[in-house]
Amino acid sequence: MNTNAAGASTVDASEVEKFSAIAAEWWNPKGKFGVLHKLNPVRLDYIRGHIVRHFSLSDRERRPFEGLTVLDIGCGGGLLCEPMVRLGAEVTGIDPAEKNIKTASVHASEQALNIDYRAITAEELAQDGKKFDIVLNMEVVEHVADVDLFMATSASLVKPGGLMFAATLNRTLKSFGLAIIGAEYVLGWLPRGTHQWEKFVTPQELEAALKSGGLRVRDTSGVTYNPLNTAWRKSPDTDVNYMMIAERPAA
């Protein structure tokens, strides 16, 4: 697989293969990524709100992100890239799985959206020296081979004064019961084997990795599922799913 300048790789080939096999499912809200479609409104509200406040933008504008550059690492089929470009941002989406990028590119073309999709790794992009106002690192950390190296590489792509959004799964007994046994084996929300519990990352571990990359954590929020209305919402409970925002201090 591709490596960074030090010769180390954060890409887990088995994970790439796993998601490549179901790449055609990305835009089917009732398919294998249906849970992400339901989660997307919560993720987007969190991302949009913090970007508007951080960059002092007007939330009343139809395209408030005009002039901002956004990188979506592990973009999959583009579920976050497309809303970001509709909000006015200049968007780059990267993913090591070529089938994911093909699916994302075709869908964006069908929507007449201009998104720079690339089948490359974060390490390769970092070697180009390009930096972004906002880096999205959503539901990726739990699938990489080396969390610390991956987060350091991702952090290097954030401009001074810029933000990184990260979302992942906490490594708790509760997450094992709900995210793996419940979601994969009982409810069938995700294909069995989608996640490996031992690769889940605690908020403390993620914060430490972000700090090592020169970023300062500004907020952590849990995300929980309500079976009564079949909806996701932000929550103080970080035992299973959580999101985190970190800022690179301005130079």
Side-chain angles (χ1 to χ4, degrees):
M1 302 303 294
N2 295 305
T3 59
N4 68 356
S9 174
T10 65
V11 173
D12 185 326
S14 64
E15 294 288 332
V16 174
E17 182 179 353
K18 181 191 303 178
F19 285 94
S20 293
I22 54 176
E25 293 276 336
W26 277 105
W27 287 98
N28 179 3
K30 295 183 179 180
K32 291 180 171 61
F33 294 104
V35 65
L36 281 183
H37 283 266
K38 288 188 175 183
L39 184 58
N40 231 22
V42 178
R43 301 194 301 177
L44 289 169
D45 182 68
Y46 186 73
I47 292 167
R48 176 172 179 153
H50 280 280
I51 290 175
V52 165
R53 287 190 291 275
H54 180 74
F55 292 99
S56 300
L57 306 175
S58 172
D59 201 25
R60 297 182 179 182
E61 298 290 333
R62 186 175 68 87
R63 293 169 59 85
F65 296 176
E66 290 278 6
L68 294 178
T69 55
V70 173
L71 170 66
D72 187 5
I73 299 175
C75 64
L79 298 188
L80 285 174
C81 289
E82 293 197 8
M84 292 295 104
V85 79
R86 292 184 191 277
L87 287 167
E90 177 186 328
V91 179
T92 299
I94 65 171
D95 197 295
E98 292 187 7
K99 289 184 178 180
N100 284 346
I101 291 299
K102 183 177 180 180
T103 296
S105 298
V106 169
H107 195 272
S109 178
E110 291 172 346
Q111 310 302 311
L113 297 176
N114 183 20
I115 300 172
D116 181 12
Y117 282 123
R118 308 185 197 180
I120 59 173
T121 65
E123 290 93 337
E124 287 179 294
L125 188 62
Q127 288 175 9
D128 291 341
K130 189 171 183 180
K131 299 183 185 297
F132 301 81
D133 296 304
I134 299 133
V135 173
L136 304 180
N137 206 324
M138 311 295 280
E139 287 78 39
V140 179
V141 183
E142 67 271 22
H143 298 290
V144 303
D146 185 327
V147 172
D148 291 337
L149 178 58
F150 175 71
M151 294 309 295
T153 302
S154 300
S156 73
L157 293 161
V158 181
K159 286 182 180 179
L163 297 176
M164 180 190 291
F165 292 83
T168 190
L169 288 149
N170 198 351
R171 194 175 62 254
T172 62
L173 289 177
K174 187 175 177 180
S175 71
F176 182 81
L178 294 179
I180 294 183
I181 302 301
E184 296 184 17
Y185 288 84
V186 177
L187 298 174
W189 284 352
L190 298 166
R192 294 184 181 187
T194 296
H195 292 113
Q196 300 173 54
W197 181 79
E198 63 273 14
K199 296 183 75 170
F200 289 1
V201 182
T202 69
Q204 295 77 16
E205 291 167 345
L206 185 59
E207 181 169 354
L210 288 165
K211 286 182 177 179
S212 294
L215 304 185
R216 180 175 58 218
V217 173
R218 296 185 53 187
D219 182 75
T220 302
S221 176
V223 183
T224 57
Y225 179 75
N226 185 340
L228 297 178
N229 60 6
T230 65
W232 294 85
R233 65 179 180 87
K234 282 199 320 177
S235 166
D237 183 355
T238 62
D239 286 349
V240 183
N241 296 79
Y242 67 95
M243 300 181 289
M244 190 175 287
I245 304 170
E247 173 190 7
R248 178 171 295 285

